[in-house]
Amino acid sequence: VDKFKKYKGKVDLVFTSPPYYAKEVYSDAETQSAVKFGTYKEWKDGFLYTTLKTAYEWLKPDRYLLWNVSNVGFGTGKNGIRTDKGCIYPLEKDSIDILESFGMKFIRKEKMILASMPGSNRIKEDGKPNALNSCRINGKWVKFEPIFVFKKVA
C-alpha cells in the first residue's frame, strides 16, 4: 500500500466495480465489506464512500473514473448480513451522489451486456423482464450492468 501512495493524483483512469453490498459475499470473514459494515447505511458510509474517495483522490485532473455498479434487491439476507426482504438498495444513485459531492462530472452511462440474464430469464406476463437493468437486442431481452463514466474536473 505504501508503494502505491506515490501515485496519488497521478492516475489517468480508474475502472473498477465494488462488491454489490451483501449480494457478493464470498466468506464470513471480517475483511468482507458487507460483514465489516453490517447494515447498508454503515456499508455506504464506511465502504462505498471511502472507495469512491480513494478513486477520486488518485485521479489526475481531467481524467476518468468508470464505475461498474448496479442497484441490488434481496429476498432474504445472506451469511447473517442484515438486509431488508424485498428491498432494493440504491447503489447507483448513492454512487452518483457521492461522486458529484466531490465535484466529479457525470459524463454518461454505458451498458455492459451480460452473457445471460442471472436468475433465469424471468419474463413477466407483459413480455418484459423483471430484471432491474435490461434492454432488447435483436428482439431478445438481455440484462446489462451500468458503467458510469465520470470526469474529475480541475
Side-chain angles (χ1 to χ4, degrees), residues 13-64:
L13 176 72
V14 174
F15 186 177
T16 190
S17 180
Y20 291 9
Y21 177 46
K23 204 64 157 180
E24 297 177 335
V25 178
Y26 304 106
S27 77
D28 58 2
E30 275 295 315
T31 56
Q32 294 289 299
S33 66
V35 174
K36 184 176 181 179
F37 304 103
T39 67
Y40 178 73
K41 181 175 180 352
E42 292 168 345
W43 181 86
K44 180 180 78 169
D45 295 343
F47 180 80
L48 184 65
Y49 179 91
T50 304
T51 302
L52 288 168
K53 182 79 168 172
T54 299
Y56 169 77
E57 290 176 345
W58 257 251
L59 278 174
K60 290 180 187 175
D62 295 320
R63 298 301 191 258
Y64 296 90

Side-chain angles (χ1 to χ4, degrees), residues 6-154:
K6 67 183 177 183
Y7 298 107
K8 189 172 184 177
K10 297 179 181 178
V11 175
D12 288 314
L13 176 72
V14 174
F15 186 177
T16 190
S17 180
Y20 291 9
Y21 177 46
K23 204 64 157 180
E24 297 177 335
V25 178
Y26 304 106
S27 77
D28 58 2
E30 275 295 315
T31 56
Q32 294 289 299
S33 66
V35 174
K36 184 176 181 179
F37 304 103
T39 67
Y40 178 73
K41 181 175 180 352
E42 292 168 345
W43 181 86
K44 180 180 78 169
D45 295 343
F47 180 80
L48 184 65
Y49 179 91
T50 304
T51 302
L52 288 168
K53 182 79 168 172
T54 299
Y56 169 77
E57 290 176 345
W58 257 251
L59 278 174
K60 290 180 187 175
D62 295 320
R63 298 301 191 258
Y64 296 90
L65 167 65
L66 282 68
W67 184 252
N68 169 220
V69 73
S70 181
N71 295 333
V72 292
F74 292 91
T76 58
K78 290 183 173 182
N79 296 2
I81 296 163
R82 298 169 304 223
T83 59
D84 298 319
K85 186 176 182 177
C87 181
I88 295 176
Y89 291 94
L91 277 75
E92 295 175 29
K93 181 179 181 331
D94 288 343
S95 294
I96 291 168
D97 290 348
I98 291 167
L99 289 166
E100 288 181 342
S101 79
F102 301 150
M104 291 199 77
K105 181 181 178 186
F106 174 74
I107 303 298
R108 67 180 172 273
K109 178 171 75 171
E110 297 291 339
K111 296 176 182 177
M112 180 173 62
I113 305 302
L114 302 178
S116 64
M117 190 175 287
S120 73
N121 255 343
R122 293 173 279 171
I123 304 295
K124 298 184 287 188
E125 288 182 21
D126 64 2
K128 294 181 181 175
N130 288 323
L132 296 174
N133 291 313
S134 56
C135 62
R136 283 185 91 119
I137 295 179
N138 296 328
K140 182 180 177 189
W141 285 104
V142 295
K143 183 166 173 40
F144 70 86
E145 287 194 353
I147 298 175
F148 295 91
V149 179
F150 276 86
K151 183 175 185 179
K152 181 176 182 177
V153 291

